Amino acid sequence: KKLEKLSKKTYGYDYKNRDKNLSTVSNFELCQDLSSFYQNINILSINIPLCDNTINFISDTEFNLMQPRTILINTARGKIIDEAALLRALSNGTIDNAALDVLAEEPPFYIDPIKCNYSHPFINHPKIFYTPHIAAGTYDSLREVAITMVKNIKKEVFNNE
């Protein structure tokens, strides 16, 4: 029911090919193969675990099947996407924008990002919205993230420490 409000048609794919009875969900189609899945979507949300079979699961071949201006969301694991292929897909317009909270090689979480000089082409890319993957953060680390975020906002918005 919630999918009906989101889109006229929602497509899914189960990479483990488990038998699912989703025929009762209106406007939902469980694709039997990845080619038809990629050809039909205009928003891709990645929700699969990282294992040997899913490293670089999405690369040039998959991007080339997608419609132009597809939106990519990855909150799973960074290594599921071939990062060089994603940069090419962003450059040629296959991917319009990407929202990521994971990278293939994550920045060190225990060092102030300003002090560690961490560099990655996705962090300042104009078509990528990147946030750190902090779902498993401890209370103390989440508290530090919140304090740092407020300080950075105050500094940038109000020119205030």
Side-chain angles (χ1 to χ4, degrees):
K1 289 282 184 195
K2 293 179 181 180
L3 293 176
E4 292 172 14
K5 296 175 184 176
L6 179 65
S7 171
K8 291 180 184 177
K9 184 87 171 188
T10 302
Y11 297 89
Y13 178 79
D14 182 2
Y15 82 101
K16 288 188 175 184
N17 293 316
R18 296 171 288 207
D19 186 28
K20 300 239 178 172
N21 184 8
L22 296 169
S23 58
T24 59
V25 179
S26 63
N27 298 333
F28 178 80
E29 181 179 327
L30 185 62
C31 296
Q32 298 305 309
D33 63 90
L34 279 170
S35 286
S36 63
F37 173 73
Y38 289 126
Q39 290 168 4
N40 283 296
I41 59 170
N42 52 26
I43 299 174
L44 173 60
S45 178
I46 301 169
N47 306 288
I48 58 175
L50 181 65
C51 58
D52 290 342
N53 295 337
T54 61
I55 293 173
N56 291 333
F57 193 71
I58 300 173
S59 191
D60 287 312
T61 301
E62 292 73 26
F63 286 126
N64 289 334
L65 292 170
M66 295 179 196
Q67 298 178 38
R69 303 192 68 212
T70 296
I71 295 170
L72 174 81
I73 303 165
N74 186 11
T75 58
R77 293 288 178 251
K79 291 182 180 180
I80 291 170
I81 298 175
D82 177 336
E83 291 183 340
L86 175 54
L87 285 172
R88 287 188 289 276
L90 285 160
S91 177
N92 70 27
T94 300
I95 298 298
D96 192 40
N97 288 282
L100 312 172
D101 81 339
V102 289
L103 302 172
E105 296 299 325
E106 294 290 336
F109 64 90
Y110 51 88
I111 301 173
D112 180 338
I114 295 168
K115 293 179 183 173
C116 77
N117 295 322
Y118 178 79
S119 178
H120 192 286
F122 289 178
I123 292 179
N124 293 313
H125 194 287
K127 292 185 173 185
I128 295 177
F129 180 76
Y130 172 73
T131 61
H133 188 71
I134 59 171
T138 64
Y139 173 80
D140 290 337
S141 66
L142 292 175
R143 184 175 181 277
E144 275 304 312
V145 167
I147 289 169
T148 302
M149 197 166 46
V150 169
K151 285 179 181 177
N152 288 341
I153 291 170
K154 285 174 67 177
K155 183 178 177 182
E156 291 296 320
V157 175
F158 302 107
N159 293 324
N160 186 344
E161 292 287 334

